[in-house]
Amino acid sequence: MILRKLAVFAIALFLLIWSLPAQAQSKYYAPPLSYSNAELTRRDFSGQMLRAAEFSNANMELSNFSNADLRGAIMSASVMVKANLHGADLAYAMADQVNFTNADLSDTVFLEAILLRSTFDDVNIAGADFTDAILDGFQVKELCKKAVGVNSKTGVATRDSLGCK
């Protein structure tokens, strides 16, 4: 299982690096939005298209990302305490070392996201889809204790996506 996840990560990383030079040469290529190291407390990003946006080391406490498209976003080492990510799409996101304490992650899609060393204390994960996400074993064990519901977009049960027993 872990080998499969590492292989998926390696392939995704290769494809990302391999495709960058081609994108940079296009006159239509727009670089991703960068909010790295930013103070974004209480900001409203709800429903916004934020694909591949960079939020590394950002403070996003109490921010609203409900129904936002964050596919491929980079959120490493950020603070998302009490953030609202209800219905957000974080497929393929890099959200390692993120503090999600008291966040609303209900109905969020974390397909193949990297969530290593992130904090999920007192989060709402009802209907969240963690299919093929890379998490620490301890995280999975704790999340399975509160895993309920089915994701409205993917139809996948939260418990199944985490591999809960």
Side-chain angles (χ1 to χ4, degrees):
M1 183 72 152
I2 194 89
L3 247 40
R4 180 175 177 232
K5 288 182 181 182
L6 287 174
V8 168
F9 172 69
I11 291 169
L13 186 60
F14 170 77
L15 292 174
L16 176 68
I17 292 169
W18 181 70
S19 67
L20 286 178
Q23 290 175 343
Q25 295 174 3
S26 170
K27 67 180 181 179
Y28 302 107
Y29 172 70
L33 296 172
S34 180
Y35 297 99
S36 293
N37 302 304
E39 176 57 54
L40 302 170
T41 301
R42 297 182 189 275
R43 288 282 297 270
D44 186 4
F45 293 97
S46 59
Q48 291 188 30
M49 173 76 69
L50 298 164
R51 286 186 192 170
E54 298 173 10
F55 294 93
S56 296
N57 299 304
N59 182 5
M60 297 175 278
E61 187 171 354
L62 296 163
S63 290
N64 184 3
F65 287 91
S66 61
N67 300 304
D69 185 347
L70 291 156
R71 287 178 280 179
I74 300 170
M75 301 176 143
S76 299
S78 292
V79 176
M80 298 196 81
V81 172
K82 297 182 182 177
N84 179 3
L85 288 118
H86 173 81
D89 190 343
L90 278 92
Y92 318 109
M94 177 79 105
D96 59 310
Q97 302 177 60
V98 174
N99 184 351
F100 288 111
T101 300
N102 291 310
D104 181 359
L105 305 178
S106 61
D107 214 33
T108 299
V109 175
F110 287 107
L111 175 71
E112 295 185 29
I114 298 172
L115 301 164
L116 295 169
R117 295 177 48 201
S118 289
T119 305
F120 295 98
D121 296 335
D122 300 316
V123 293
N124 176 4
I125 60 165
D129 183 351
F130 292 91
T131 301
D132 294 327
I134 300 175
L135 295 129
D136 297 313
F138 175 77
Q139 292 170 310
V140 173
K141 184 178 175 182
E142 291 301 308
L143 291 172
C144 282
K145 292 177 183 176
K146 58 183 107 192
V148 296
V150 174
N151 187 276
S152 66
K153 295 176 198 87
T154 65
V156 175
T158 301
R159 291 189 62 76
D160 292 343
S161 71
L162 286 165
C164 302
K165 296 178 183 176

